[in-house]
Amino acid sequence: MKRRIHAAILAVLAASVGLVAQANPAHARPDCDVPDPPPICDGAGSHDPEGDLTGATRVPAGVSVTGWATDPDGGRVQVDISIGGTKVGTVTAGSGGSFSGTVPARPGSTVCARALSNGAGSSKLIGCVNLAVAVDPVGAVDRIERVGTDLVLHGWAIDGDTTDAIWLHVYQDGVFATAAPADRALSAPPAGYPGYGTGHGFAVTVPERPGDGEHNVCVYAINVGAGTVNTELGCRTYTVRHDPTGALDEVTRTGNTLRVRGWSADPDEPQTPTEVHIYDSGVFVRSVTANGHRPDLPGEYGPTHGYDVTDLPANMTPGPHTVCAYAINRSHGVHNTQLGCRNYAVPAPVAAPTINPFGEWDIYSNEIHVSWTDNSTSEDGYRVERSVAGGPWAEISRRTDAFRSLTDRNLTPNTRHCYRVIAFNELTEAAAEVCATTKQPPLPQPTGLTVVGRTDTTLTVRWTDNAEGEDHYLLGWGRPTDQILPRIISIPANPGTGEMTYTVTGLDSSTDYRVAVSPRKAGHDTAPPLDTTAWTTGGPIVDGFTSSVGAVQACTPTEVTLNWKTTGATRVVVKRGTTTLADRTQSGPGVWEGSVSGGSHDGDVLYTLTAYAADGRTATANVPVYRSTPYPLVKSIEFNNTGWYRLEAWYYDLYDNKIQKIGDVASGGKINITPGHCQVRRIKVIDPNTGRVAFMPGSQLVLGHNEGGVSQVAAG
């Protein structure tokens, strides 16, 4: 009614100031001119309902809503209620505009009301209330409490479809544990459920799972009414530690006894010593009490849980063995914990080595070389003892590496020495023996070894024999670079001392040799050899003669270097054509390498090397340096005109342009054409009247060169 009066007053005021006359006729309504009470004529929205959603509460039957709604057109207003955007029911406002009612519940977080228009207006959203509406049960696990070996789960659970307590199911590690009602009193009803009372809490007790380690417990609220899901209220992880703990830190064998060291404690009785059982290779050995002082242990157990046993009998069967320690459970645990395992080994008895036979180079006047073969796989090393001339044994070496030999030095000549090689490990040892007598000192070394004769294939050497009573002489020869001479022969000894001569045959000519001689006598060291070097005679050999370049571009002079290598030459002569570039000599016929400048030129040069031996024999080698050119080399061209008319000789450039007239050639006459040195030219002899070419070199372009060719041609 207020809105109608207000509209009438506005109409009167508008007419008094002429506003009605100015209104747009398209918006005028005829029924606005009727007498009082005037119709509603105050513009768009004036016929829409109004109202408000003042409350929404979850109740067992659904959701209870309250509010008011009116329509300017009169009549009771119907109000649609939606939850989460979906209509769930309709309530009707009373004659005074107020409404209240209960609509079915559905999942959502917002409850909204829309007033439906009774007349010309449009339906209107009149309000929303935030309310978490659930049809499945809700709740939470607030905390987990440990009471001895039990777990107490605290929390709350409620199903909006009932005010009664609902049931809970508890699972541990995925296995059903127990069922209980959520019927404990809470300090206040759960949020959003003010009318449901306080009896929806729970404190459910379940025993912890057996076995140490991490475990999982979950609580589910069992649905009643409209819902379809048994809601998981929460899961918690807890740790079970009842089995004893500890470690096996050390197992050490010394001889036939073991030391076993470690620690152990039981979480259920941390102040009481734990019993530890020790097994060796699966066989029980002893029970010990872990009550020793160990200040390094975790603080939760204290320092008096160590064990250290030093007199356990070891299993002395050769091979590997395993010691394991087990902590014996005292209270709630279900296992005797293995604290660890450690290995020890007992070596097999060693086998005696095999001493290798002495060779020619193992025994000397002041040292003996002993070697042996390893026949054992369990030795820790080898000990070598020596007895001199039947005397007591004394250790002279101890080997723990991979070497199986030794050289015993500073010995007495012509004395018996015995050696005992002993393989050992910590439990056993085995030995092998060998004896040898040191030799007498070597005979006097010869002196004055010289070469007294040479041919192409022989060397004759002479030396002074300073030894008496030798069995024979050894004479060897080879190249000077040979560390061991490849050829060794025995030469009968001469009685007494004096000069000896021998001719070595079958040698290569012009070759350097090393020759050595040494007296030999059984039971004596070999005297150090006396050696000398010499060359056999023979013609010289050119081992190499090369040039630094093989070809030179014409008109581009290049510096040339020549290198040579000869054997058996005492003189080398290098020539360029007939010009001597080098004439060099050396004192002996050995290997000779050298180089010389070949000068600067543009090729077409022949170098010659002549090597001379001391006896006049020679060897020669040549090396050419060629001239390379893309154009024919021309020193001059003589042209004869055999025609009836005068001709002209011309130079053309590379692009066939005339650049210079050479001269005229009368009929029956001739002209000599000489390009400048290192000039590239195109030459044409033409008929000046017709331009006809009477002559042009076949390759068209020529290179003027002082060493080029001279040619005569005729044309007309």
Side-chain angles (χ1 to χ4, degrees):
M1 180 62 68
K2 290 180 181 180
R3 184 175 291 273
R4 290 175 178 269
I5 295 172
H6 179 67
I9 293 173
L10 288 176
V12 172
L13 289 175
S16 66
V17 295
L19 292 177
V20 173
Q22 298 174 5
N24 189 331
H27 295 107
R29 288 179 49 189
D31 58 353
C32 289
D33 296 330
V34 299
D36 185 75
I40 301 171
C41 297
D42 51 354
S46 59
H47 292 268
D48 295 346
E50 293 186 353
D52 189 18
L53 178 65
T54 59
T57 307
R58 183 71 163 94
V59 296
V63 175
S64 173
V65 295
T66 59
W68 65 272
T70 62
D71 191 301
D73 294 324
R76 295 186 177 187
V77 178
Q78 289 187 320
V79 180
D80 286 346
I81 305 299
S82 63
I83 300 176
T86 300
K87 178 182 174 181
V88 294
T90 303
V91 297
T92 302
S95 59
S98 297
F99 66 82
S100 64
T102 301
V103 295
R106 74 174 307 278
S109 60
T110 306
V111 179
C112 294
R114 177 175 293 276
L116 305 181
S117 177
N118 288 334
S122 299
S123 298
K124 184 176 180 181
L125 180 68
I126 59 174
C128 292
V129 173
N130 292 329
L131 177 66
V133 180
V135 295
D136 297 324
V138 296
V141 177
D142 296 328
R143 61 189 175 91
I144 182 171
E145 180 183 7
R146 299 289 294 272
V147 181
T149 59
D150 290 333
L151 305 174
V152 181
L153 304 168
H154 296 270
W156 64 276
I158 192 170
D159 191 310
D161 295 327
T162 179
T163 58
D164 296 336
I166 63 174
W167 281 85
L168 308 173
H169 286 184
V170 180
Y171 285 77
Q172 292 203 78
D173 295 339
V175 178
F176 178 77
T178 189
D183 58 359
R184 293 282 185 106
L186 299 172
S187 60
Y193 298 88
Y196 285 72
T198 60
H200 299 285
F202 64 81
V204 182
T205 300
V206 294
E208 66 182 17
R209 294 284 291 170
D212 284 11
E214 297 290 322
H215 298 279
N216 181 269
V217 59
C218 296
V219 180
Y220 295 86
I222 305 305
N223 178 71
V224 296
T228 60
V229 175
N230 297 326
T231 304
E232 181 187 285
L233 302 183
C235 295
R236 295 291 187 273
T237 299
Y238 65 93
T239 302
V240 173
R241 291 183 60 192
H242 295 299
D243 293 340
T245 186
L248 174 60
D249 296 327
E250 177 187 356
V251 173
T252 306
R253 181 181 63 80
T254 303
N256 59 1
T257 62
L258 299 175
R259 179 186 182 186
V260 179
R261 187 176 68 88
W263 69 276
S264 178
D266 194 311
D268 294 325
E269 300 181 25
Q271 304 305 317
T272 303
T274 302
E275 183 181 3
V276 176
H277 288 186
I278 299 174
Y279 286 75
D280 188 346
S281 301
V283 177
F284 176 76
V285 178
R286 185 179 298 178
S287 174
V288 299
T289 301
N291 59 0
H293 186 66
R294 284 289 298 272
D296 59 317
L297 297 182
E300 59 186 301
Y301 300 121
T304 57
H305 292 284
Y307 60 92
D308 191 350
V309 186
T310 59
D311 61 347
L312 290 180
N315 185 334
M316 297 308 293
T317 303
H321 300 277
T322 301
V323 171
C324 297
Y326 296 85
I328 305 305
N329 180 63
R330 297 188 56 82
S331 185
H332 298 298
V334 296
H335 300 103
N336 296 326
T337 303
Q338 185 186 85
L339 303 180
C341 296
R342 295 289 185 273
N343 297 325
Y344 71 92
V346 175
V350 295
T354 299
I355 299 179
N356 300 323
F358 288 118
E360 181 180 2
W361 308 107
D362 289 331
I363 302 174
Y364 298 88
S365 60
N366 59 356
E367 69 181 42
I368 295 177
H369 181 74
V370 181
S371 64
W372 61 92
T373 301
D374 181 7
N375 295 324
S376 183
T377 59
S378 60
E379 79 279 1
D380 294 332
Y382 285 89
R383 187 174 71 252
V384 181
E385 299 175 349
R386 177 183 62 202
S387 171
V388 180
W393 292 95
E395 182 176 326
I396 62 171
S397 178
R398 185 178 292 259
R399 308 299 295 267
T400 57
D401 51 28
F403 293 99
R404 301 291 179 256
S405 65
L406 69 86
T407 299
D408 192 16
R409 295 183 172 87
N410 302 318
L411 305 181
T412 303
N414 198 29
T415 302
R416 184 174 177 80
H417 294 75
C418 292
Y419 297 90
R420 187 158 58 192
V421 181
I422 306 165
F424 66 86
N425 59 28
E426 59 173 314
L427 300 177
T428 60
E429 61 181 40
E433 294 183 16
V434 69
C435 295
T437 299
T438 51
K439 295 179 180 180
Q440 297 190 51
L443 299 177
Q445 187 182 30
T447 55
L449 178 63
T450 58
V451 176
V452 296
R454 296 187 302 162
T455 70
D456 287 2
T457 59
T458 66
L459 289 174
T460 300
V461 293
R462 179 184 299 153
W463 69 93
T464 300
D465 176 14
N466 297 317
E468 292 190 8
E470 72 270 18
D471 297 333
H472 57 274
Y473 257 86
L474 291 182
L475 184 144
W477 67 90
R479 301 305 300 272
T481 56
D482 294 333
Q483 294 186 0
I484 298 176
L485 295 178
R487 296 291 305 277
I488 299 176
I489 62 174
S490 177
I491 301 174
N494 289 335
T497 60
E499 188 176 90
M500 294 185 67
T501 302
Y502 187 82
T503 298
V504 182
T505 62
L507 306 179
D508 295 330
S509 64
S510 299
T511 303
D512 193 13
Y513 284 94
R514 178 165 68 95
V515 181
V517 293
S518 175
R520 299 297 300 272
K521 184 175 180 62
H524 287 255
D525 282 345
T526 300
L530 178 66
D531 61 7
T532 187
T533 59
W535 286 79
T536 54
T537 62
I541 300 172
V542 179
D543 299 306
F545 183 46
T546 59
S547 169
S548 59
V549 294
V552 179
Q553 179 71 40
C555 294
T556 307
T558 301
E559 187 70 31
V560 176
T561 300
L562 304 169
N563 300 283
W564 80 79
K565 179 179 180 181
T566 64
T567 303
T570 58
R571 180 187 177 201
V572 166
V573 176
V574 179
K575 291 184 177 183
R576 172 179 168 179
T578 60
T579 301
T580 298
L581 301 178
D583 189 342
R584 300 180 184 177
T585 60
Q586 69 168 359
S587 59
V591 175
W592 190 6
E593 295 184 68
S595 63
V596 64
S597 172
S600 177
H601 56 79
D602 64 352
D604 201 17
V605 172
L606 179 66
Y607 295 98
T608 301
L609 178 141
T610 303
Y612 296 85
D615 59 5
R617 284 181 281 187
T618 63
T620 302
N622 297 316
V623 58
V625 177
Y626 298 100
R627 177 178 293 137
S628 175
T629 174
Y631 312 116
L633 299 184
V634 176
K635 185 174 184 180
S636 65
I637 300 174
E638 184 180 278
F639 175 75
N640 292 281
N641 185 355
T642 59
W644 294 94
Y645 305 100
R646 179 181 64 86
L647 301 175
E648 293 178 352
W650 282 84
Y651 284 138
Y652 287 71
D653 64 14
L654 301 183
Y655 302 100
D656 213 30
N657 298 310
K658 288 182 179 180
I659 59 173
Q660 182 182 354
K661 184 177 180 180
I662 302 172
D664 296 324
V665 189
S667 175
K670 65 180 180 180
I671 189 172
N672 192 285
I673 304 171
T674 305
H677 183 66
C678 291
Q679 290 184 346
V680 179
R681 291 288 184 260
R682 189 189 307 276
I683 301 172
K684 293 183 182 181
V685 180
I686 64 174
D687 183 338
N689 297 316
T690 63
R692 178 181 62 86
V693 177
F695 164 74
M696 182 171 61
S699 62
Q700 298 187 4
L701 294 176
V702 296
L703 175 61
H705 199 280
N706 295 340
E707 299 177 22
V710 177
S711 60
Q712 292 182 341
V713 295

